[in-house]
């Protein structure tokens, strides 16, 4: 069994055991799969936690108590070496929604007693069937918005419960052609390099042809709640790229902790990926002198020689909090 397949098998078993375990057994189940030095990263206000027991007590148990019958509805699942380098660790990526009944308050968000879909993207670093670290990106602003308590101004795109891949082929349980994975990460690398070049030159309104070097014309960009989704290169530039580039300055790219691909799928995350300063206007925020961090994950689907779909998660509460806006305090008022 390849490293990819062994790591994926470990995570499938974890999900099977963990997602069906009673609350009293969560610590025991997670402990069976993770190292004693387990390092967990989550969105603000959870941030970084060490050890299975602390992860359960701080994040998972309160989540499961607030969202009854919580279950995982997975859309994408794949694995890969960081930068496709076999000398690096294997990461397993899962993306989709947790669906539950919002029956009790969570983080000060008032319950609705209705279905809530919690967008997630999860990265696990696996060695010898043991999980050493996890990064779990969830869209907390989306929960607030679905609960009718959204405290921010209008989005430049539109937020809704996003679908999985158009091709319905995102769960890669079997081995994939390594050449396909190499093509995917090479394309993502070129796209990242193109964006870095814009940062270097200060070009904030690149023509659509520039994006078309790596993106399909009918691209779909599923942005985080607070920004929203866009369809086609033209609308993506109008509804996200130009507002993002023109209203943020001093952009510094910090690199990624994991950038992996398998088949036609690729994902990465950083902690943080980048820092920037808000000149005023982005997400309707006032200007700030803070060089604020953005923790971001992106999941991509390649179609032919271009990128077709992109699911994006940003730790918005952390980014806003760095600029003095505590969203969780605001919704309590």
């Amino acid at each position: 069994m390849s490293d990819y397949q062994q790591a994926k098998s470990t995570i499938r078993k974890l999900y099977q055991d963990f997602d069906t375990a009673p609350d009293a057994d969560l610590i025991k189940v997670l402990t069976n799969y993770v190292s004693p030095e387990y390092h967990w990263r989550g969105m603000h206000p959870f941030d970084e936690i060490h050890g299975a027991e602390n992860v359960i007590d701080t994040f998972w148990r309160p989540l499961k108590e607030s969202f009854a019958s919580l279950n995982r509805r997975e859309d994408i699942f794949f694995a890969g070496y960081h930068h496709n380098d076999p000398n690096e660790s294997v990461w397993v990526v899962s993306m989709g929604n947790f669906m539950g009944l919002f029956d009790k308050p969570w983080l000060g968000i008032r319950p609705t007693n209705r279905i809530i879909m919690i967008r997630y993207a999860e990265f696990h670093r696996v060695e010898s069937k043991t999980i050493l670290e996890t990064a779990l990106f969830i869209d907390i602003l989306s929960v607030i918005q679905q609960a009718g308590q959204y405290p921010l101004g209008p989005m430049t795109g539109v937020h809704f419960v996003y679908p999985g891949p158009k091709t319905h082929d995102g769960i890669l349980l079997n081995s994939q052609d390594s050449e396909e994975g190499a093509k995917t990460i090479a394309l993502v690398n070129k796209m990242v390099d193109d964006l870095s070049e814009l940062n270097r030159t200060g070009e904030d309104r690149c023509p659509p042809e520039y994006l078309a070097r790596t993106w399909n014309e009918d691209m779909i960009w599923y942005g985080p709640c607070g920004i929203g989704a866009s369809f086609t290169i033209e609308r993506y530039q109008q509804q996200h790229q130009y507002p993002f580039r023109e209203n943020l300055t001093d952009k510094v790219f910090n690199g990624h902790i994991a950038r992996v691909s398998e088949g036609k799928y690729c994902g990465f995350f950083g902690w943080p990926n980048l820092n920037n300063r808000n000149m005023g206007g982005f997400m309707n925020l006032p200007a700030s002198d803070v060089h604020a961090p953005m923790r971001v994950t992106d999941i991509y689907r390649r179609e032919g020689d271009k990128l077709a779909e992109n699911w994006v998660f940003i730790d918005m509460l952390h980014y806003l909090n760095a600029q003095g806006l505590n969203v969780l305090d605001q919704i309590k008022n």
Side-chain angles (χ1 to χ4, degrees):
M1 182 181 293
S2 71
D3 290 347
Y4 286 15
Q5 290 304 107
Q6 185 179 84
K8 288 193 289 187
S9 177
T10 296
I11 300 305
R12 297 318 288 177
K13 291 175 182 176
L14 166 68
Y15 286 170
Q16 181 179 1
D17 292 348
F18 189 84
D19 292 350
T20 58
D23 288 357
D25 292 343
L26 291 174
I27 294 174
K28 178 181 177 181
V29 171
L30 187 59
T31 300
N32 287 337
Y33 287 91
V34 305
S35 73
E37 297 78 27
Y38 182 52
H39 182 191
W40 186 91
R41 295 177 175 91
M43 302 298 91
H44 180 85
F46 302 103
D47 300 309
E48 299 186 60
I49 306 173
H50 294 269
E53 183 173 354
N54 291 332
V55 172
I56 297 301
D57 288 343
T58 304
F59 177 76
W60 282 110
R61 201 185 309 280
L63 184 78
K64 286 177 170 284
E65 288 175 352
S66 294
F67 298 92
S69 303
L70 191 71
N71 65 90
R72 183 187 304 266
R73 300 179 66 90
E74 191 174 49
D75 294 313
I76 293 175
F77 181 80
F78 64 95
Y81 296 115
H82 179 44
H83 284 293
N84 279 27
D85 181 349
N87 295 313
E88 296 279 353
S89 296
V90 175
W91 290 83
V92 179
V93 182
S94 173
M95 191 206 81
N97 289 273
F98 295 114
M99 186 181 79
L101 298 169
F102 192 8
D103 286 351
K104 295 181 180 179
W106 184 63
L107 301 177
I109 310 168
R110 298 183 299 279
T112 64
N113 299 112
R114 295 182 173 89
I115 292 174
I116 288 285
M117 303 292 279
I118 307 173
R119 295 182 67 220
Y120 81 88
E122 193 167 30
F123 288 69
H124 302 280
R125 183 164 70 91
V126 183
E127 291 184 4
S128 302
K129 300 183 181 181
T130 299
I131 303 166
L132 304 183
E133 57 184 305
T134 296
L136 176 58
F137 285 72
I138 58 173
D139 197 332
I140 296 175
L141 263 185
S142 173
V143 175
I144 296 171
Q145 193 242 20
Q146 291 176 66
Q149 298 157 49
Y150 186 72
L152 305 177
M155 302 182 207
T156 49
V158 59
H159 175 265
F160 50 99
V161 177
Y162 299 150
K166 180 180 179 181
T167 46
H168 302 285
D169 61 356
I171 299 179
L172 308 186
L173 298 180
N174 299 319
S175 297
Q176 304 295 308
D177 184 344
S178 61
E179 291 186 4
E180 291 296 306
K183 289 178 184 177
T184 304
I185 201 166
L187 183 60
V188 170
N189 289 345
K190 176 169 174 46
M191 182 272 301
V192 171
D193 289 344
D194 284 351
L195 293 179
S196 296
E197 180 65 13
L198 293 180
N199 290 341
R200 188 187 68 79
T201 62
E203 173 58 68
D204 290 330
R205 294 188 71 87
C206 68
E209 293 79 14
Y210 190 86
L211 265 64
R213 290 156 52 162
T214 53
W215 289 96
N216 276 346
E217 169 57 36
D218 61 349
M219 66 176 285
I220 309 173
W221 190 83
Y222 299 109
C225 187
I227 297 174
S230 301
F231 174 43
T232 76
I233 287 178
E234 178 186 7
R235 297 299 172 86
Y236 166 75
Q237 290 191 298
Q238 292 174 4
Q239 297 169 3
H240 175 62
Q241 187 189 37
Y242 292 161
F244 183 90
R245 299 202 63 83
E246 292 175 345
N247 294 315
L248 300 175
T249 189
D250 298 336
K251 302 179 186 72
V252 175
F253 175 56
N254 303 309
H256 296 134
I257 290 176
R259 187 188 299 184
V260 301
S261 71
E262 186 180 20
K264 297 178 181 178
Y265 290 86
C266 182
F268 59 62
F269 81 92
W271 199 263
N273 304 48
L274 69 153
N275 290 69
N276 55 62
R277 185 170 58 81
N278 196 332
M279 295 185 293
F282 178 67
M283 293 185 66
N284 308 289
L285 295 170
S288 172
D289 292 330
V290 176
H291 203 220
M294 274 190 171
R295 302 166 174 170
V296 185
T297 190
D298 284 71
I299 309 293
Y300 298 91
R301 181 179 70 85
R302 175 178 60 84
E303 190 171 279
D305 60 354
K306 298 288 181 70
L307 298 172
E309 294 184 278
N310 181 198
W311 296 262
V312 182
F313 298 75
I314 301 177
D315 190 349
M316 286 298 193
L317 300 192
H318 179 255
Y319 179 73
L320 296 172
N321 192 62
Q323 297 172 81
L325 178 58
N326 188 318
V327 172
L328 296 178
D329 280 350
Q330 189 172 4
I331 64 174
K332 293 176 184 176
N333 298 329

